[in-house]
Amino acid sequence: MIIEVLLYLPIKSILRFRAVCRSWATMLSSEEFCSLHMAKTEETSALPKLFFTSSTANFEATEVYLGSSSGPGDDLLFTLNDIRGDFVDMTPAPCRGLTLVDDAVAPAYFVFNAATRAVTRLPPCQAVAFATAGLGFDAWTKNYKVVRLFRGNLQDKQRIRCEVYTLGSDCWRPAIGGIPFRFCRAADCAIGHSIRDKQPPVFADGFLHWLLDPFFVAHRPRNAILSFSITDETFRCVQSPPFGAPGVRIMEHEGHLCAVQERLVSGLQLVELAGRLCMLRDLRNASSNCSALEIWNLNDYSSGGWSLKHRIDLLAHVARDLVEPQIVKVIGSVGDCESMNKVIITTSKRKVILYDPMLETLETILKIRGTQFSYQTEHSALRVSLLKETLVPVRQTTEEVGMVKAAREILLRIPADHVVQLKLVCKQWRKLIENQSFIRSYYLHHNTEKRPNIMLVGKGTRRSQFSFLPLKKLLQRCPSRDTWLNTKVVCSKPCHGLNLLSTEMKDYLYNPCTGYCFVNQTRGRELPGYFVEPANHAFAVDKKIVGLGFNMLKQEHVIVEFFCLWKDFRSRQSVWTCSISTCNNRSLQTNLLPPLPVNDMPPTYLAGMMYWMSEPRLGQSSKRAIVSFDIQSELFSIIPCPPCIALWNSRNRCPAFVVELEGLLCAVLANPVEEKLYIWKLKHGRWDRAYTVYLKGWSGYSLETNVVVPWAVDPKDGRILLNTGRKVGLYDPSRRFIETLYDLDEVLGVRGTEQSSGLGVYDGIHFTKCKNSVNKYGTWKPPLQKHRVFDVCSPTSPGNNFACSSATQSLEEINPSYTGSMPLIPLLYEESLESYPPWWKRRTLHR
């Protein structure tokens, strides 16, 4: 009697009652009780229970919602933090309560029970470009198996391979029967068709089924479906329904016999209904006067006999819900009678419709609104699945069970360069450190306060192009001349843990904490053009304007480069090229052009968008405006500037540019006459005055001879970090006082005609986080003897300013090439473990 009562309880109550006593825990966790509860739930359920997935706003996680409401709200089931982006494949129908999720970005596979909210991540598998996987149940061994078909690397002996993972085991293994040679071509077509048309394999009758490409069926009509036995792990082919496969037909035309290829049947889909394999045939595009959906049922595997089970006339019931969408899919059925089960249909219009075969009616049961489908197109299907109330356990892998939480907490508090070295300790530590969840946690742990961290960039060794030195280490050692840069370098602000270092010929994507580097060849140098005089300030390099952004949808960094081939300020004409490249697949696009010419200051990245300030001396308009670029959609737009910045004339040539401060887009106007920086911030679509920086009387920060960039704002006391390339200082808005943190003249022991205010180290800024990260990538050696031109500085006391000998030469005299480059460059960085695998290991993503 107790069991009969407990069978009527919901899943949530049963999970709580497992804590009553040990006997109840054993009984409620037994396979027998789980099967009885599943059967009882299917008998009493009249309407289908659904759940759907939605990406978070920053595309870093995937949320799973119960499909009982029209949008995200209180029905959030759980969040998959390890699944990023909008490239998520999910089985439309659960396999005895379990659902398989494929993260194409990682790549990685997850199995979860939506009713109990238990999730497990499968062990890592070989990263390939093309793969398809399905979840099945072995009725003989009572085990769940994930079967994966993929195209291996070129050096593999067998290109098409099949792997099987038994839920709860340690690793993937080859299928027992392998892939016989006669099925290799069919398996290859199944992989391509599954990825291109977003059709994962369907589990029914103990087999996983892949639909083959129609062009393959045209040559082999008896091989329309590739099936895999979960128990025997063998392959076989199944014939298509008798509606006919395309073939060659002989007809007469103008007195001659001609061979005509019949039209391919489109809109085919496999689905499991009431435990049987069925095929959906979409006839909406077959002819102009036909708008119907046919559902064919497989009666016998051996003979390949099919029968027409349902024919849904869409125009007779609903005019728009199922006629207009480009994609219409059947995900399953609900009911206790096989012949009268109600069919569940989803569309790319984010609707779920229930078809009653007895009444021949169509009813919309779910319409999803307000989810993160900003970049979903009509070609993308709605990610909705059936929810079955089941207690089937999700077995944790050995990797998850054996992972020690203490090791994770310790690694989170270790400098990034040491964490990279600790990957050599063991395989488990390597998997933990390379896990995207750990990388994200490490980034948040070290950059939560968002306080500025500063390094100096110098010339590297043969192993690395650049070397990095924390600013505080200048108090212990003075850089020698062999660490001076011999070319002009412009550094970007950190973007998700990485910095872009740009030279005239190349762009270097660096993680200064770990030494990761990706080299991108500058495309603009390959294009013919006229001579354009480069800018002479510290934030422009040659004739290109390059910026670093982040594609939140694909979770990858993007390098956007503008190259000016020719410009004439008299005629206000110019010629530009634009290239966009990534680290993963090295893709390149050159057909994008900005709507307005931009000035030579670097762009600003903020929340998936990049911004440039326009050049009022070029183009049709003499007013300034901000050019924005949406990295995900690759579209340009124009944002109006504040009125005082938009106005420009030949007599008032105050330079202007854009920066990011406190997570907001800011426009900066530099007035060299008043020696002031006017900073405006864009918040909620409105420009407001944020700061006014007074620079009059501060040596080295004059706007007549320098470009002063507001770098960051210290969240602790509100002081503004200013950067000229030659000096870095903290400006206090309340006292109008600048505390110099870095002075190039003082570092190199140079005393020019104007003495700077001295070099100090501000205790509030985090300078010591990466203090151990430099020796790996470049050695900063103190000079063994005093150079003939200048004397080496020596610290007078720990933590105070340098005491320099009396040198009378300027920096230009010591370094004749100073106008083109500076010996050392300050860099703003973030503590991170971010990196990318080689581009050939990345999967091809299809939305």
Side-chain angles (χ1 to χ4, degrees):
M1 185 177 296
I2 293 177
I3 293 178
E4 289 296 330
V5 173
L6 293 177
L7 288 176
Y8 285 92
L9 294 178
I11 295 292
K12 185 176 181 180
S13 299
I14 294 176
L15 295 177
R16 294 178 61 190
F17 288 161
R18 287 180 179 178
V20 173
C21 59
R22 292 184 179 180
S23 60
W24 277 39
T26 304
M27 177 186 64
L28 298 179
S29 302
S30 64
E31 183 179 349
E32 180 182 2
F33 183 84
C34 293
S35 301
L36 291 174
H37 188 272
M38 185 187 304
K40 178 67 70 174
T41 304
E42 292 177 354
E43 291 176 2
T44 57
S45 61
L47 292 177
K49 293 185 177 181
L50 305 170
F51 67 89
F52 61 92
T53 62
S54 173
S55 298
T56 56
N58 53 6
F59 295 95
E60 291 184 352
T62 298
E63 297 172 332
V64 181
Y65 290 93
L66 185 64
S68 59
S69 64
S70 60
D74 297 333
D75 293 328
L76 175 64
L77 293 177
F78 54 90
T79 301
L80 299 172
N81 294 320
D82 291 336
I83 299 181
R84 304 171 299 145
D86 198 28
F87 299 93
V88 176
D89 291 334
M90 181 177 63
T91 53
C95 176
R96 293 175 58 88
L98 299 186
T99 303
L100 176 67
V101 175
D102 175 14
D103 179 13
V105 178
Y109 295 95
F110 299 80
V111 174
F112 66 84
N113 186 337
T116 62
R117 307 181 185 183
V119 185
T120 182
R121 175 172 180 158
L122 305 190
C125 54
Q126 181 180 352
V128 294
F130 300 96
T132 174
L135 176 65
F137 179 73
D138 188 350
W140 181 261
T141 61
K142 307 298 182 182
N143 290 326
Y144 290 85
K145 296 181 180 180
V146 179
V147 182
R148 181 171 179 255
L149 285 178
F150 63 94
R151 298 174 186 171
N153 300 324
L154 296 177
Q155 60 269 23
D156 295 338
K157 293 182 179 179
Q158 187 174 1
R159 183 73 185 280
I160 308 301
R161 300 172 62 184
C162 177
E163 289 183 344
V164 178
Y165 173 77
T166 303
L167 205 62
S169 60
D170 294 335
C171 60
W172 296 80
R173 59 173 175 82
I176 296 177
I179 303 181
F181 179 76
R182 65 181 183 274
F183 293 110
C184 286
R185 188 174 179 184
D188 190 16
C189 292
I191 296 171
H193 188 265
S194 177
I195 295 176
R196 183 177 61 254
D197 292 347
K198 285 292 183 182
Q199 293 192 16
V202 175
F203 176 73
D205 297 323
F207 292 85
L208 276 173
H209 305 84
W210 285 269
L211 187 64
L212 300 184
D213 192 281
F215 291 96
F216 182 80
V217 181
H219 298 282
R220 299 180 183 180
R222 298 188 60 86
N223 299 335
I225 300 171
L226 179 67
S227 65
F228 178 83
S229 174
I230 297 297
T231 303
D232 301 333
E233 299 187 6
T234 57
F235 287 91
R236 63 185 299 182
C237 287
V238 181
Q239 189 176 357
S240 63
F243 49 70
V248 178
R249 180 165 54 92
I250 306 298
M251 63 176 296
E252 181 180 356
H253 178 68
E254 296 181 357
H256 301 280
L257 294 178
C258 301
V260 179
Q261 179 74 29
E262 292 183 346
R263 185 176 182 178
L264 292 173
V265 179
S266 60
L268 300 181
Q269 174 203 343
L270 294 179
V271 64
E272 177 264 327
L273 298 178
R276 306 297 298 273
L277 180 66
C278 299
M279 180 178 289
L280 173 68
R281 185 188 185 197
D282 189 356
L283 299 176
R284 294 178 301 160
N285 299 324
S287 61
S288 58
N289 56 359
C290 180
S291 181
L293 298 177
E294 291 183 352
I295 300 178
W296 293 75
N297 182 47
L298 178 62
N299 300 323
D300 187 9
Y301 275 91
S302 58
S303 63
W306 294 79
S307 61
L308 181 61
K309 188 173 183 179
H310 302 293
R311 181 180 176 88
I312 307 174
D313 188 0
L314 304 180
L315 293 178
H317 305 285
V318 143
R320 296 181 179 179
D321 286 349
L322 291 175
V323 177
E324 290 184 353
Q326 294 187 9
I327 297 179
V328 173
K329 288 189 176 183
V330 175
I331 64 173
S333 61
V334 62
D336 55 357
C337 180
E338 181 179 350
S339 60
M340 294 301 173
N341 282 353
K342 297 181 180 180
V343 181
I344 305 171
I345 306 172
T346 64
T347 72
S348 55
K349 293 289 187 180
R350 308 173 195 173
K351 291 183 179 181
V352 181
I353 300 173
L354 190 65
Y355 172 72
D356 191 339
M358 180 180 292
L359 302 177
E360 296 185 352
T361 57
L362 292 167
E363 177 188 1
T364 301
I365 60 175
L366 178 63
K367 186 175 182 181
I368 301 176
R369 301 186 183 93
T371 57
Q372 299 295 335
F373 287 96
S374 303
Y375 301 98
Q376 191 178 35
T377 63
E378 267 290 304
H379 299 282
S380 303
L382 185 61
R383 296 176 176 92
V384 177
S385 180
L386 288 170
L387 188 148
K388 289 188 177 181
E389 295 284 346
T390 177
L391 292 166
V392 174
V394 176
R395 300 180 182 178
Q396 298 288 312
T397 62
T398 305
E399 177 188 0
E400 292 176 326
V401 174
M403 185 177 296
V404 182
K405 293 184 179 180
R408 178 186 177 95
E409 293 298 324
I410 292 174
L411 291 174
L412 286 175
R413 290 159 174 81
I414 297 178
D417 58 329
H418 287 181
V419 174
V420 174
Q421 296 177 9
L422 290 176
K423 290 196 295 184
L424 303 176
V425 172
C426 61
K427 292 182 179 179
Q428 285 143 348
W429 279 35
R430 182 181 182 89
K431 291 178 181 179
L432 171 62
I433 295 172
E434 293 180 350
N435 184 271
Q436 288 295 328
S437 177
F438 177 79
I439 294 176
R440 187 161 52 251
S441 299
Y442 188 91
Y443 177 82
L444 295 176
H445 179 79
H446 287 267
N447 301 281
T448 303
E449 297 181 356
K450 297 183 179 179
R451 306 198 67 187
N453 307 317
I454 302 177
M455 277 188 178
L456 289 181
V457 181
K459 181 180 178 182
T461 59
R462 295 181 180 179
R463 184 178 178 182
S464 178
Q465 182 71 20
F466 302 101
S467 58
F468 303 91
L469 179 70
L471 189 57
K472 195 171 183 179
K473 280 199 172 181
L474 288 176
L475 298 178
Q476 289 87 29
R477 61 180 70 175
C478 186
S480 60
R481 188 164 184 171
D482 57 359
T483 60
W484 289 8
L485 293 171
N486 53 11
T487 182
K488 190 174 183 180
V489 181
V490 175
C491 303
S492 73
K493 290 185 67 174
C495 176
H496 288 257
L498 298 183
N499 295 81
L500 187 68
L501 279 64
S502 301
T503 64
E504 181 181 358
M505 301 299 296
K506 295 180 181 180
D507 300 317
Y508 301 85
L509 188 62
Y510 259 97
N511 185 337
C513 300
T514 64
Y516 166 80
C517 178
F518 169 80
V519 182
N520 182 55
Q521 187 73 30
T522 298
R523 302 288 175 174
R525 299 295 299 177
E526 303 172 0
L527 302 173
Y530 299 94
F531 172 75
V532 178
E533 183 179 357
N536 57 1
H537 58 81
F539 303 98
V541 53
D542 194 45
K543 297 177 289 184
K544 69 177 182 180
I545 304 161
V546 60
L548 177 64
F550 189 77
N551 190 327
M552 295 190 297
L553 178 63
K554 297 182 180 181
Q555 294 291 300
E556 61 183 4
H557 287 81
V558 175
I559 301 174
V560 182
E561 178 187 275
F562 288 161
F563 194 85
C564 184
L565 298 178
W566 175 75
K567 59 182 177 182
D568 185 4
F569 294 113
R570 293 183 178 181
S571 61
R572 304 181 62 87
Q573 295 181 356
S574 60
V575 178
W576 298 79
T577 62
C578 175
S579 65
I580 303 174
S581 57
T582 63
C583 298
N584 290 341
N585 50 19
R586 298 182 182 177
S587 61
L588 177 67
Q589 295 189 15
T590 58
N591 56 350
L592 300 175
L593 294 177
L596 294 174
V598 298
N599 62 16
D600 52 18
M601 290 295 291
T604 294
Y605 168 79
L606 183 65
M609 303 286 293
M610 296 193 70
Y611 304 92
W612 296 261
M613 181 65 72
S614 68
E615 176 56 77
R617 296 178 294 174
L618 298 173
Q620 300 293 332
S621 176
S622 297
K623 291 186 177 181
R624 288 193 183 97
I626 297 176
V627 178
S628 67
F629 177 69
D630 191 326
I631 298 177
Q632 286 82 6
S633 61
E634 298 182 352
L635 295 176
F636 284 99
S637 60
I638 299 176
I639 301 176
C641 287
C644 65
I645 297 180
L647 296 177
W648 179 90
N649 54 62
S650 58
R651 291 174 297 177
N652 181 18
R653 296 187 177 184
C654 298
F657 49 91
V658 290
V659 295
E660 177 270 327
L661 296 176
E662 300 179 294
L664 297 175
L665 177 65
C666 297
V668 181
L669 180 67
N671 192 328
V673 178
E674 300 177 358
E675 291 289 350
K676 294 180 183 179
L677 288 178
Y678 298 98
I679 304 175
W680 294 71
K681 63 180 179 181
L682 181 62
K683 190 174 183 180
H684 304 300
R686 177 182 175 182
W687 288 103
D688 296 320
R689 179 74 69 87
Y691 302 99
T692 300
V693 180
Y694 297 86
L695 300 175
K696 189 173 183 179
W698 291 99
S699 174
Y701 296 96
S702 173
L703 297 178
E704 290 285 350
T705 56
N706 298 279
V707 175
V708 182
V709 176
W711 227 6
V713 177
D714 190 350
K716 185 177 180 180
D717 51 22
R719 291 200 276 182
I720 304 173
L721 191 65
L722 303 178
N723 178 27
T724 68
R726 194 166 176 169
K727 277 191 175 185
V728 175
L730 275 171
Y731 175 78
D732 191 341
S734 60
R735 297 189 301 156
R736 299 182 183 180
F737 179 82
I738 298 180
E739 178 183 358
T740 299
L741 304 178
Y742 164 75
D743 190 330
L744 181 62
D745 293 341
E746 294 286 351
V747 170
L748 300 179
V750 178
R751 291 185 179 271
T753 56
E754 291 184 358
Q755 297 295 328
S756 63
S757 60
L759 175 65
V761 176
Y762 173 50
D763 294 335
I765 299 292
H766 291 187
F767 290 133
T768 60
K769 284 191 173 182
C770 284
K771 62 182 181 180
N772 299 317
S773 62
V774 180
N775 296 334
K776 240 177 111 177
Y777 322 112
T779 304
W780 293 75
K781 300 178 180 179
L784 298 179
Q785 57 182 2
K786 296 182 180 181
H787 196 272
R788 181 176 62 88
V789 181
F790 68 97
D791 294 334
V792 180
C793 301
S794 59
T796 57
S797 61
N800 294 329
N801 298 346
F802 282 108
C804 302
S805 61
S806 57
T808 58
Q809 289 146 313
S810 65
L811 182 61
E812 288 79 1
E813 294 174 335
I814 293 179
N815 185 13
S817 61
Y818 170 73
T819 56
S821 64
M822 284 187 291
L824 302 173
I825 297 177
L827 171 73
L828 201 64
Y829 75 97
E830 294 173 336
E831 189 87 3
S832 171
L833 297 172
E834 190 65 50
S835 64
Y836 288 101
W839 67 272
W840 53 268
K841 287 188 177 182
R842 304 297 296 181
R843 292 192 57 187
T844 301
L845 303 179
H846 297 270
R847 298 184 60 246

